[in-house]
Amino acid sequence: MKIARVETFLVPPRWLFCRIETDDGVVGWGEPVVEGRAEVVRSAVEVLAEYLVGQDPLRIQDHWQVLSKGGFYRGGPVLSSAVAGIDQALWDIAGRALGVPVHTLLGGPVRDTVRVYAWVGGDEPDRIKEEVTAQVEAGFTAVKMNAAGRTPPIGSPAETAAVVDRVAAAREALGPHRDVAVDFHGRFGAANARRVLQAIAPLHPLFVEEPVLPEQAHLLPGLVAASSVPLATGERLYGRADFLPTLTAGVAVAQPDLSHAGGISEVTRIASLAETFGAHLAPHCPLGPIALAASLQVAFATPNFLIQEQSRGIHYNKDADLLSYLVDTEPFRFVDGQAHRTGVPGLGIAVDEDAVRAADRSGHAWRNPVWRHADGSFAEW
C-alpha cells in the first residue's frame, strides 16, 4: 500500500481538511489548520506532500519524524499544524486498513465515554446565565466561557467585579454538581490575572485557561503558587518541548490542540509527559469534525484525560457547523454531556466528501479580529 494522492479543502466556517488516498483506495482524513491562516497551512501541506506520495502510509512515526525534523528549520504553528493534519489522516488510514478504531492502535480504551463541554458567551461574554441554562438543559455538565473581552493591563475594580459577576452567573445556573472553565485567553497580564484568580476562586472553576500569554511561561510558577484555581494552557504550544516549562511550573491541565501540536502522534506523547507531572489532558478543539474525532480517539486511550472541548454552537460557526460535513452525525450525539466510544474503524467518522468538495469551491478567508483599547493601542484578542 502506497500513498497515491494528498488533497486539501478550504471549508467554511474557518477550517482546512486534508484527504490522503492510497493506491488501493483507502482514504484517511485530517484537519491541518491555523485559524486565520488556513491558506498558509494549505501551502505547507502541499510542500510536505512531495515527500509523502509513494510512501507506505503505515510508517506513521517515521513520517512524523521526517515531516517535523527533515527540514533544517523546524517547529512553529504552520509546520506543526500541517504535520498534525497529515498525521491524523495517516492514523485514519491505518485504522481503516486494519479494521479497528485508532484508540485500539494506541493501546486500547481506558474509558467508554468522554466528557465534553460546551462554549457560552462569545468573545466578549454576555447573556451568560441564559446560555449556560440552555446547555444544562441540553445535558452538558460543563461549560467554558471567556472571562472578559478587551482587557486593560490592570483592570479597574469595576472590570474585576464584572468578571466575578459573569462567573457567578454561570455557577448559579450550573449549581454545585457541574463545572465552569474560564478562559483568560492571554488577555490578562500576570498581575491582573493574579488578582482575578483570587476573586473567582470561591466560585470553584474547573480550571482557568491561558492566564498569561504562552511566551510568558516563566511567569506561571508565581501564578500557580498564588492561587488554588487549577491553571491550564497549551492551545498555542506545538510540541513536548514547549509543554515542559509549563508542566514544570505546576500547570494542572495541558491543552494541546490535535490540529496544531503535531497530531495524534505528538499529543499522545504530550499526554504521557503531563502524566509524569500529575497533570491532566484537556485537548483544545474549537474546530471541525475531523479534529474532534482525532481528539476523542486520543481521549479514549489516555489515562490522564480530563475533559474535551467541542464546537457545537460555538460563536465562530457562522456558515457551517460541526455536523455539516458528516455522513452520519451519530458519533457526535452527546448524551448527558458524554461522547460514547464506538468500534468504527479509523477516526470513527464518515466524512461527506461531496459536501466537502462543494464547500471548497467557495472556500473562506476567515481572519480573527484585531482589537484595540480605547486609546487606540493594540489589545490581545
Side-chain angles (χ1 to χ4, degrees), residues 59-81:
R59 297 190 63 179
I60 299 172
Q61 297 296 347
D62 186 63
H63 296 327
W64 192 95
Q65 295 292 323
V66 173
L67 297 178
S68 297
K69 302 177 181 179
F72 183 74
Y73 297 99
R74 307 175 181 181
V78 171
L79 177 61
S80 294
S81 298

Side-chain angles (χ1 to χ4, degrees), residues 354-369:
D354 291 340
V356 169
R357 292 187 182 277
D360 181 61
R361 287 195 284 272
S362 57
H364 69 81
W366 188 87
R367 302 289 184 264
N368 65 253

Side-chain angles (χ1 to χ4, degrees), residues 47 70 80 93 110 125 207 209-210 268 321 342 353:
V47 171
S80 294
I93 286 173
V110 296
F207 57 77
E209 180 174 335
E210 278 200 325
T268 56
D321 195 60
T342 75
E353 187 171 324

Side-chain angles (χ1 to χ4, degrees), residues 15-52:
W15 304 329
L16 182 70
F17 293 171
C18 174
R19 179 185 185 274
I20 299 181
E21 184 176 355
T22 70
D23 56 0
D24 57 357
V26 180
V27 172
W29 289 87
E31 194 167 334
V33 67
V34 172
E35 302 93 295
R37 300 290 185 266
E39 304 95 326
V40 182
V41 180
R42 184 178 217 174
S43 296
V45 172
E46 291 170 357
V47 171
L48 297 178
E50 296 172 5
Y51 163 79
L52 285 172

